[in-house]
Amino acid sequence: MIFGVLKDNKIGEYRVVLTPVEAAAIKEDGHTVLVQKDAGFSAGFTNEQYEQEGAEMVDTIEEMYKRCDFLAKVKEIEESEYGLLRENQIVYTCIHPAAHPEQVQAILDSKSVAFTAEDSHRFGSVNCEAAGKQGALMGLNAMLTINGGKGKFVSGLAGAPGMKVLILGGGLVGRSSLQVLQSLGAWCTVMDVNYGVLRDIGRTYNEKVNTQLSTKQNIKKLLPEIDMVINCVKWPKENKDYLIDREMLHLMEKGSVIVDISNDEDGAIESFRETTHEDPMYVENGVVHYCVSNIPGAIANSTSVAYAASVLPHIRSILNHGVKEACIRDGFLRRSLTAYKGYLTHEETSAIQNRPWARPEDVLQLQEEEIDFAPPATRTRSTNFLKI
């Protein structure tokens, strides 16, 4: 195949999906590798480094879409790219399809084959780890007096207590934030709905981290003494309530901080609105909000190196075996199939957008195959099936 590494053009995005090391591996497999000019520049990888590994540099995004059988990037397909998608073309990127109906429609109209990368990670995305760790540090920056925060130092000083932090969600993002904040001396509480997760966190930190069941009532009790909230909850899109609504902001002291790493419209935080690295913070009811959607872009080199290594097996499998065989071999890749030649194949998107869908197993005709198992990507279910 002809494989292409696109330059991400979302505002404030500096990562690249593959570094020259991964480009070399794909080239050694016998494929042609095209890289859009300066795709890796902001992450610390020059055009010359890609060329030294056998990649061809391409000036324009239009030529990339025209020539490539398979394209990959980090973030969503931008509106300017919708008309460039071609029938049967394969795209692997973080689509977040349930939240982007126009993007989904463009993919379906093009009859391309699209994988949403965020659902394909068997061991959790390194982007989640990066968002959790760097998000914690961004929250500490928001806490500074010069940024409107309380001006508390994370571990405290002689005679001055350290920060009290509430982390909502004990998954990979939440644990990554906890790892940073607890090591720096913050007093941390983690809330989750899974007692097994809470027990594991308690054991990991020798019970030096407080854990509580995640309920709105428990949050209300705790907020008056909390300096910073880190939201790491992947909120069910069908849930119209909030873990922290606007009224609850009055319970927090002026200069407290909310870092919404999950970054969802109609998510767990009612006062959320997406921000960018260029203008990352706003204040509502005296509470500083940090709501940048692509936090890992701030550490573009480290994230690119780690992310590229993690997604390379998926990309090589598709290149070397084709879409069907790759989806047989890996259930996590199969569940990330979002659209296949005009068919929606993503269950959560079907439910949220009220679109008919087909299971990847059906559209790929895998009924007689021995396929690798993977659990559903979300708890959202849809019975709005297409007839194949």
Side-chain angles (χ1 to χ4, degrees), residues 344 346-357 382-384:
L344 177 67
H346 195 263
E347 185 171 15
E348 183 187 35
T349 302
S350 169
I352 300 302
Q353 298 180 16
N354 194 27
R355 295 176 185 262
W357 77 297
S382 172
T383 56
N384 185 5

Side-chain angles (χ1 to χ4, degrees), residues 140 143 152-156 161-165 185-187 227-228:
L140 297 182
M143 179 59 66
K152 284 193 171 184
F153 186 67
V154 56
S155 63
M163 287 170 51
K164 291 185 178 180
V165 179
W187 299 84
D227 301 305
M228 182 163 68

